[in-house]
Amino acid sequence: MKVVILADSLALPRQAGEGNIPFEVTYPYLLDESLRRRLGERAPRIIERGMRSRTIERVLDEWFEMVELRGAEVVVIHIGIVDCAPRVFMPRERAFVERLRPARLRVRFLDFVHRHRRRIIKMRQRVYVPVEKFKTMVEEVVSRSRGTGVRSLVFINIIEPPEEMETRSPGFRRNVEDYNRILRAQADEQTAVHLVDLNHLILEGGGPEALTVDGIHINETGHRMLAQELERHILSLLEQEFEG
């Protein structure tokens, strides 16, 4: 069995200044190690393809190469926070600001933006992937999964940000609720779509303050919890296979 994990930076290691998450404590690594200890040569092959800033659009762009060409039987999609986070700048706007010259002009402009961030976000209400587009693309992922012989499509939902982030980026929590509702609506045993409710696991385990390094990226305990949840699902699929 081949398991492809298409994730954003939540699946990746982080350096000391970003939370200090070594590769060996990330959930794809822990999942692979645990399955190998348990199953030996029968263990599924875990193919981790994390990417910083990945959105649902990138998942669709990479589907053929990452899923179809690899013959994946299980596909884990772990995205959403990049899609739904409130933004001051869209990508092209950010690139324009980074090119502003002279440098003192850029510094003054960014200082203004920092001081008025809340007001700008409330006024613009911009995200990288609007909710209706996110819904359409998630449904397209499900459709492609059915059409390419994927045995189980797994969505991991979005962690609700702490109060501090909501204060800085008003509307963040509402966005997470809306986008998570879309992911939850796809979960259906009949269509082989499974949801891992990471948000619920985090809230039950102490909240983002206890289980993330920065309100978004999970810490070592969070990685271990997620690895265990994915392992349970994969083992259930293998049990069905053996029974069949």
Side-chain angles (χ1 to χ4, degrees):
M1 177 184 286
K2 296 175 187 173
V3 180
V4 170
I5 299 175
L6 291 173
D8 55 27
S9 61
L10 270 74
L12 297 177
R14 301 183 70 77
Q15 58 189 356
E18 297 180 334
N20 192 27
I21 301 296
F23 173 63
E24 290 78 12
V25 305
T26 60
Y27 74 82
Y29 181 92
L30 295 174
L31 175 63
D32 184 65
E33 287 291 297
S34 182
L35 288 171
R36 287 178 182 276
R37 284 195 303 269
R38 183 188 291 266
L39 300 174
E41 293 182 357
R42 296 184 302 149
R45 181 179 295 276
I46 306 299
I47 306 171
E48 177 260 303
R49 290 295 181 267
M51 175 191 290
R52 297 184 191 281
S53 299
R54 180 180 267 130
T55 64
I56 189 67
E57 294 176 290
R58 295 300 297 269
V59 170
L60 283 170
D61 289 344
E62 299 157 349
W63 185 268
F64 178 71
E65 181 177 343
M66 298 294 186
V67 176
E68 295 186 37
L69 288 183
R70 286 166 171 76
E73 297 169 69
V74 178
V75 180
V76 178
I77 307 293
H78 188 184
I79 51 87
I81 194 71
V82 179
D83 306 69
C84 79
R87 304 289 175 176
V88 172
F89 299 122
M90 299 301 284
R92 288 185 180 179
E93 295 167 341
R94 178 173 293 281
F96 172 79
V97 171
E98 289 173 352
R99 292 193 301 268
L100 270 179
R101 296 292 184 276
R104 64 177 180 276
L105 175 63
R106 184 174 67 254
V107 170
R108 289 178 63 185
F109 177 70
L110 290 175
D111 180 63
F112 173 86
V113 168
H114 177 73
R115 286 187 283 112
H116 298 280
R117 177 185 171 87
R118 277 179 52 82
R119 184 181 301 177
I120 293 169
I121 284 178
K122 290 178 74 172
M123 178 180 67
R124 301 198 75 195
Q125 298 185 11
R126 302 293 296 277
V127 295
Y128 282 175
V129 183
V131 65
E132 288 303 321
K133 186 174 184 179
F134 185 80
K135 180 176 183 292
T136 297
M137 290 190 158
V138 166
E139 290 171 350
E140 176 64 19
V141 167
V142 173
S143 177
R144 291 195 189 183
S145 176
R146 291 177 192 162
T148 52
V150 172
R151 184 175 170 191
S152 180
L153 176 65
V154 181
F155 287 112
I156 300 173
N157 70 2
I158 311 162
I159 300 172
E160 181 181 303
E163 182 62 36
E164 177 186 354
M165 284 191 167
E166 173 65 23
T167 300
R168 187 167 177 266
S169 300
F172 204 163
R173 285 182 170 177
R174 183 187 65 245
N175 288 1
V176 168
E177 290 176 4
D178 291 343
Y179 286 58
N180 274 348
R181 193 176 298 116
I182 290 167
L183 296 176
R184 184 165 57 249
Q186 296 300 322
D188 182 1
E189 289 185 6
Q190 300 303 313
T191 56
V193 181
H194 179 74
L195 177 72
V196 172
D197 194 345
L198 177 60
N199 187 47
H200 180 71
L201 290 174
I202 294 295
L203 292 175
E204 275 202 332
E209 295 83 1
L211 293 171
T212 71
V213 297
D214 56 6
I216 292 176
H217 296 90
I218 49 180
N219 62 17
E220 183 173 349
T221 303
H223 276 280
R224 188 163 57 249
M225 290 169 55
L226 182 50
Q228 291 169 352
E229 194 68 21
L230 289 170
E231 182 174 16
R232 277 191 284 271
H233 178 63
I234 291 170
L235 289 174
S236 72
L237 295 174
L238 290 173
E239 287 175 6
Q240 295 170 19
E241 185 178 284
F242 296 148
E243 289 173 2

